[in-house]
Amino acid sequence: MERYLGEQIPKLGFGLMRLPMAGEEVDIEETKQMVDAFMEKGFCYFDTAYGYLNGKSEEAVKTALVDRYPRDQFLLATKLPAWAGAKTKEEAQRMFDISLERTGAGYFDFYLLHNLGEKRTHFFDDYDIWNFLARKKEEGLIRHLGFSFHDKAKLLDELLTKHPEMEFVQLQINYADWEEPTIESRKCYEVARKHGKPVIIMEPVKGGNLAAPPQSVRELFEKVNPGASPSSWAIRYAASLEGIITVLSGMSNMQQMMDNLSYMEDFHPLNQEEKQTIVRARGILDSIPTVPCTACAYCMKGCPQNIAIYGTFQSVNIYNLYDNLEAARGKYAWHTEGQGFKKASECIGCGQCEEVCPQHISIRKELERAAEVLER
């Protein structure tokens, strides 16, 4: 059987989105220690992006990695967010050059159109990013070209049909979101497999939430594999899937790094008992009351206030499931200010949303409750 792209890459990647910080700056010394530990154990894939830490992540890559290791000993990925503030094609395309300058890498092993989906995708068409990056690949500045994606499987299918030249996709996949209707991890993964595209997995620990799941889930894991961290269950679940290039973990300190290395250095896919345990854990999460929103967005099409209704419900459900107010408010900020939508508290109670909701959610009441949690 022909090998797929990335088959030989170790299945743990270092996500550089949540680096250790010393005040407003990246803690370079701890980052160097983390890079060294990662490399010493035979891992080599590093993932950053133009916008991570306002550019400080790419700068840290240069200091902690590129300036300290031969270029052929590591794989570096970064991403271009055409939707993030660029007003012209030239400004959007300039992001590529800035990433090259910041990292000093000379070329990128993996380069991604960053975060396609929802209202963001058209910017890559408007600014001719697809063709621009294809030329950069021809010039040898990109080894492998793909995109990261946050949306439904139907759109992913359309994009991969339209752009068969994409070599891989980066998807949000974890055991909590596998059947989640607002994210469609399983369906997106199956679309990528149908198109023959290998997958880089992001958010395997769901932004850290699966590192601290509900107590009942932790007790379930402990019975089956005493001493194993909840994070290990989440990352091994993702890494056990077929056709995976690597699984990105956004590690923030040496403790997290050493935990991940402890079980990924000699990686073993989940056995049958562990797979059944994950199914039971998912069942526990599904039993916790949440807003039953499927992100169909019918409610938002006629909203006179342009409120981020389903984004609000996704955010409050993080709080309901994981009791993580910081993560819930961060997600809320992304779905509101970050996407140009209004907050839940700005609802005028007209009720148009409830008339079209297939799930018959009492949207006005849920928005009021969400505002109390997320905005107070």
Side-chain angles (χ1 to χ4, degrees):
M1 182 181 294
E2 184 179 347
R3 291 194 181 277
Y4 70 84
L5 170 64
E7 185 174 358
Q8 298 304 303
I9 295 173
K11 300 311 171 195
L12 177 66
F14 190 171
L16 302 162
M17 184 180 185
R18 301 179 178 92
L19 291 174
M21 302 296 289
E24 297 296 316
E25 300 301 321
V26 174
D27 186 333
I28 288 294
E29 291 310 310
E30 183 167 7
T31 300
K32 287 179 179 178
Q33 293 172 19
M34 294 170 71
V35 166
D36 292 346
F38 190 73
M39 295 283 284
E40 285 169 8
K41 294 297 185 180
F43 296 93
C44 59
Y45 191 102
F46 295 83
D47 172 89
T48 184
Y50 174 87
Y52 286 176
L53 302 176
N54 294 317
K56 293 176 182 178
S57 175
E58 289 187 331
E59 293 170 355
V61 165
K62 183 178 191 305
T63 306
L65 176 67
V66 175
D67 288 349
R68 301 173 62 240
Y69 286 91
R71 184 63 183 87
D72 61 356
Q73 289 189 11
F74 61 86
L75 302 172
L76 181 60
T78 194
K79 315 177 191 75
L80 189 157
W83 42 268
K87 302 299 183 185
T88 65
K89 178 173 71 174
E90 289 71 26
E91 288 182 7
Q93 295 181 0
R94 171 68 178 150
M95 292 178 182
F96 179 86
D97 295 323
I98 291 173
S99 291
L100 271 181
E101 292 165 8
R102 286 175 180 163
T103 62
Y107 63 90
F108 297 112
D109 301 277
F110 290 78
Y111 197 83
L112 297 87
L113 292 77
H114 192 184
N115 197 1
L116 274 69
E118 298 179 331
K119 292 185 175 182
R120 301 177 297 278
T121 303
H122 75 88
F123 288 101
F124 298 91
D125 298 323
D126 296 347
Y127 297 147
D128 196 32
I129 299 301
W130 305 94
N131 292 322
F132 169 72
L133 293 180
R135 291 193 295 273
K136 293 301 177 183
K137 186 181 176 187
E138 291 175 359
E139 294 169 12
L141 297 176
I142 295 171
R143 297 290 173 86
H144 302 292
L145 182 60
F147 63 85
S148 62
F149 181 83
H150 285 278
D151 208 326
K152 299 293 189 70
K154 182 176 183 294
L155 177 59
L156 179 61
D157 194 20
E158 293 172 0
L159 282 170
L160 289 176
T161 299
K162 185 177 180 181
H163 292 284
E165 75 278 11
M166 294 291 104
E167 296 177 83
F168 65 94
V169 292
Q170 185 163 307
L171 301 174
Q172 177 173 330
I173 295 177
N174 56 68
Y175 70 80
D177 291 331
W178 189 244
E179 299 292 353
E180 168 57 49
T182 64
I183 296 172
E184 297 190 342
S185 282
R186 175 183 60 80
K187 291 181 180 179
C188 286
Y189 170 73
E190 290 174 352
V191 165
R193 297 288 290 164
K194 181 185 77 171
H195 285 269
K197 306 300 181 184
V199 175
I200 296 170
I201 291 180
M202 58 182 163
E203 301 289 355
V205 195
K206 198 173 172 63
N209 286 306
L210 297 181
Q215 183 64 28
S216 52
V217 172
R218 278 178 278 181
E219 291 173 355
L220 173 65
F221 288 160
E222 187 65 20
K223 287 179 182 177
V224 176
N225 195 348
S229 67
S231 295
S232 73
W233 282 88
I235 290 176
R236 286 183 60 229
Y237 170 83
S240 296
L241 294 170
E242 295 182 355
I244 300 303
I245 294 175
T246 197
V247 177
L248 302 176
S249 178
M251 295 171 274
S252 302
N253 53 54
M254 276 297 294
Q255 181 180 356
Q256 293 173 1
M257 173 65 75
M258 298 312 293
D259 178 51
N260 284 347
L261 294 177
S262 70
Y263 55 84
M264 291 302 290
E265 180 183 7
D266 185 22
F267 168 65
H268 295 286
L270 296 180
N271 61 35
Q272 196 57 39
E273 182 186 15
E274 290 171 324
K275 289 178 181 178
Q276 288 302 313
T277 302
I278 287 288
V279 172
R280 291 169 62 195
R282 190 183 299 129
I284 292 172
L285 294 177
D286 290 344
S287 71
I288 298 172
T290 57
V291 182
C293 172
T294 64
C296 69
Y298 294 157
C299 58
M300 294 173 62
K301 291 174 183 175
C303 176
Q305 293 293 90
N306 197 32
I307 290 172
I309 298 174
Y310 77 73
T312 297
F313 294 159
Q314 286 183 17
S315 305
V316 80
N317 281 342
I318 290 174
Y319 180 69
N320 292 336
L321 285 167
Y322 306 106
D323 196 28
N324 189 336
L325 185 57
E326 181 181 3
R329 287 180 171 169
K331 177 70 75 172
Y332 187 55
W334 163 254
H335 278 297
T336 51
E337 293 107 320
Q339 299 295 304
F341 288 106
K342 299 290 183 62
K343 292 185 175 182
S345 59
E346 298 181 67
C347 172
I348 59 175
C350 69
Q352 289 188 43
C353 52
E354 295 179 10
E355 294 177 5
V356 297
C357 177
Q359 309 305 318
H360 307 292
I361 299 169
S362 297
I363 294 176
R364 288 172 288 184
K365 287 184 179 178
E366 294 294 351
L367 287 175
E368 186 177 343
R369 291 172 183 155
E372 291 175 0
V373 171
L374 301 173
E375 299 181 30
R376 67 184 177 203

